[in-house]
Amino acid sequence: MIAPDAAIAAAWLIWLIAWILAAGWSARVASHHDLGAESPSRVLTLVAIVMMLASYWPLAWGVLWTTGAGVAWAMFVLVVVGLAFTWAARLHLGPLWSSTSAPTQDHRIVDTGPYRIVRHPVYAGLLLAAIATAVERGRIEALAGALVLIAGVSLRAKLEERFLRRDLGDEAYSAYRARVPMLVPFAKSPPPASAD
């Protein structure tokens, strides 16, 4: 029988392969932003991935705790839920989805489906999956990787918010922002910041 840690690794691998294969299914951007602005969040995300992968190396020094089978399988379920949420968000956007922060043609505020729960459901799903993975792994590398991913995703989400306020109108986006939390469902959103 497959172990929970192997099941989690397989879920991530399947998700990653499918996500990469679907990269061609993305909207044409209407304008290009400075991709350098996205670099810090992309670097942090890459570092987080390397750290999470390092938690699968058989080094005893990184172990903080061990999880029982019940907790490990519960974390597997949360990983699957998180990764499924990313796909639900991407599919819900349909042709509006883009791998960059640049606006797409016919760009508009989407506040239905997963975007009614959080403003950045792809990132929220990734964070849920990463945190659940770190809990199951119980290793310094996985925990550090999850924390670095939180930092990278937060930077990226804030950058996208700045672009969205500018491109879609501060008033319209601020109204959406007031209704829907950024990454954590049911969390109260802070007051909108002024447009830069």
Side-chain angles (χ1 to χ4, degrees), residues 26 70 80 85 89 129 156:
S26 117
V80 170
F85 196 59
R156 176 76 181 242

PDB file of all heavy atoms in Angstrom, residues 26 70 80 85 89 129 156:
ATOM      1  N   SER A  26      -3.706  29.853 -22.160  1.00  0.00           N
ATOM      2  CA  SER A  26      -3.699  31.072 -21.381  1.00  0.00           C
ATOM      3  C   SER A  26      -4.036  32.222 -22.303  1.00  0.00           C
ATOM      4  O   SER A  26      -3.788  32.172 -23.499  1.00  0.00           O
ATOM      5  CB  SER A  26      -2.348  31.218 -20.692  1.00  0.00           C
ATOM      6  OG  SER A  26      -1.629  32.307 -21.060  1.00  0.00           O
ATOM      7  N   GLY A  70      -3.110   8.548  10.618  1.00  0.00           N
ATOM      8  CA  GLY A  70      -4.364   9.295  10.498  1.00  0.00           C
ATOM      9  C   GLY A  70      -4.136  10.750  10.133  1.00  0.00           C
ATOM     10  O   GLY A  70      -4.775  11.295   9.228  1.00  0.00           O
ATOM     11  N   VAL A  80      -4.757  17.550  -1.580  1.00  0.00           N
ATOM     12  CA  VAL A  80      -5.616  17.341  -2.753  1.00  0.00           C
ATOM     13  C   VAL A  80      -6.666  18.444  -2.847  1.00  0.00           C
ATOM     14  O   VAL A  80      -6.919  18.979  -3.931  1.00  0.00           O
ATOM     15  CB  VAL A  80      -6.260  15.939  -2.717  1.00  0.00           C
ATOM     16  CG1 VAL A  80      -7.327  15.791  -3.792  1.00  0.00           C
ATOM     17  CG2 VAL A  80      -5.188  14.857  -2.884  1.00  0.00           C
ATOM     18  N   PHE A  85      -8.469  23.160  -5.629  1.00  0.00           N
ATOM     19  CA  PHE A  85      -8.953  24.542  -5.577  1.00  0.00           C
ATOM     20  C   PHE A  85      -8.213  25.409  -6.593  1.00  0.00           C
ATOM     21  O   PHE A  85      -8.810  26.288  -7.220  1.00  0.00           O
ATOM     22  CB  PHE A  85      -8.794  25.087  -4.154  1.00  0.00           C
ATOM     23  CG  PHE A  85      -9.587  26.333  -3.871  1.00  0.00           C
ATOM     24  CD1 PHE A  85     -10.968  26.349  -3.997  1.00  0.00           C
ATOM     25  CD2 PHE A  85      -8.953  27.489  -3.449  1.00  0.00           C
ATOM     26  CE1 PHE A  85     -11.704  27.495  -3.725  1.00  0.00           C
ATOM     27  CE2 PHE A  85      -9.670  28.642  -3.169  1.00  0.00           C
ATOM     28  CZ  PHE A  85     -11.050  28.646  -3.303  1.00  0.00           C
ATOM     29  N   ALA A  89     -10.083  27.359  -9.701  1.00  0.00           N
ATOM     30  CA  ALA A  89      -9.902  28.789  -9.985  1.00  0.00           C
ATOM     31  C   ALA A  89      -9.448  29.008 -11.421  1.00  0.00           C
ATOM     32  O   ALA A  89      -9.971  29.876 -12.124  1.00  0.00           O
ATOM     33  CB  ALA A  89      -8.886  29.379  -9.005  1.00  0.00           C
ATOM     34  N   ALA A 129      -2.031  23.500   0.315  1.00  0.00           N
ATOM     35  CA  ALA A 129      -1.315  22.267  -0.024  1.00  0.00           C
ATOM     36  C   ALA A 129       0.096  22.268   0.555  1.00  0.00           C
ATOM     37  O   ALA A 129       0.572  21.244   1.069  1.00  0.00           O
ATOM     38  CB  ALA A 129      -1.277  22.081  -1.539  1.00  0.00           C
ATOM     39  N   ARG A 156       3.551  38.317  -4.495  1.00  0.00           N
ATOM     40  CA  ARG A 156       2.935  38.229  -5.826  1.00  0.00           C
ATOM     41  C   ARG A 156       1.489  38.721  -5.789  1.00  0.00           C
ATOM     42  O   ARG A 156       1.051  39.459  -6.681  1.00  0.00           O
ATOM     43  CB  ARG A 156       3.008  36.775  -6.304  1.00  0.00           C
ATOM     44  CG  ARG A 156       2.348  36.482  -7.616  1.00  0.00           C
ATOM     45  CD  ARG A 156       3.173  36.971  -8.789  1.00  0.00           C
ATOM     46  NE  ARG A 156       2.494  36.694 -10.031  1.00  0.00           N
ATOM     47  CZ  ARG A 156       2.970  35.912 -10.970  1.00  0.00           C
ATOM     48  NH1 ARG A 156       4.133  35.335 -10.828  1.00  0.00           N
ATOM     49  NH2 ARG A 156       2.286  35.721 -12.069  1.00  0.00           N
TER      50      ARG A 156
END
